[in-house]
Amino acid sequence: MADDDFGYTTWGRDWVRLAQPLRVTRPDPRLPRARALAKGGKVEVTIGAGKIRGTVEHGRTTPEVSIEVTPLSGPALSLIGTQARTVLTDEMYRACTELGHPPVPKLTRVDCTCPDNSGRCIHVLAVFYDMAQRIDDDPRLALDVLTPSDGTDQSETIPQRWTAFDALDPAEYFTVR
Ligand SMILES: [Zn+2]
């Protein structure tokens, strides 16, 4: 299966799931194109606490993707925090899940500078796949994203053009800009 290249660790698989939610069974023609962008090295990401910024080289355009992630809860962080500096294993993932704190990334904001405001444009999908790849290579990146930023008020650093992902109203997608 083509998907085997992405998400072979439990930590990376979560990011594949963001692109391919289990509840979606219809083939999405954007997915193979997004995978090709990620595989072809067309995606560059900057990862910070609770934030990802991606630049996707797509034809003649280079849209910028911004993603914000809810930090892990305290119990899950303290469970993996002590050991995770060396390696983040599938066992740690399971241990968190068994404690009731699955370390699944929950997105709070998704934005892309391209005209597609759905939050699932090909560039966002490409960043999800790229993250899966990078996290497979080094699962500690998953923790970098899920770690709360210390002390800074995130609401001040969020550019205003960002749209709250949960607040998206399909009726307004094409009238906002
Ligand atoms: Zn886009």
Side-chain angles (χ1 to χ4, degrees), residues 112 114 121 123:
C112 182
C114 81
C121 65
H123 316 111

Side-chain angles (χ1 to χ4, degrees), residues 63-140:
E64 286 179 28
V65 173
S66 308
I67 297 171
E68 199 169 295
V69 186
T70 306
L72 271 188
S73 69
L77 267 185
S78 51
L79 179 77
I80 46 183
T82 47
Q83 308 163 64
R85 278 181 194 91
T86 48
V87 69
L88 206 53
T89 62
D90 288 1
E91 285 71 30
M92 287 180 195
Y93 188 100
R94 275 196 290 278
C96 284
T97 306
E98 278 161 20
L99 272 187
H101 302 284
V104 179
K106 291 194 186 75
L107 310 186
T108 49
R109 286 164 196 273
V110 176
D111 187 49
C112 182
T113 54
C114 81
D116 179 344
N117 264 338
S118 67
R120 284 184 59 80
C121 65
I122 185 173
H123 316 111
V124 168
L125 297 173
V127 169
F128 289 158
Y129 283 119
D130 188 70
M131 284 297 293
Q133 251 181 346
R134 287 172 201 265
I135 289 171
D136 283 341
D137 286 346
D138 183 1
R140 283 174 301 177

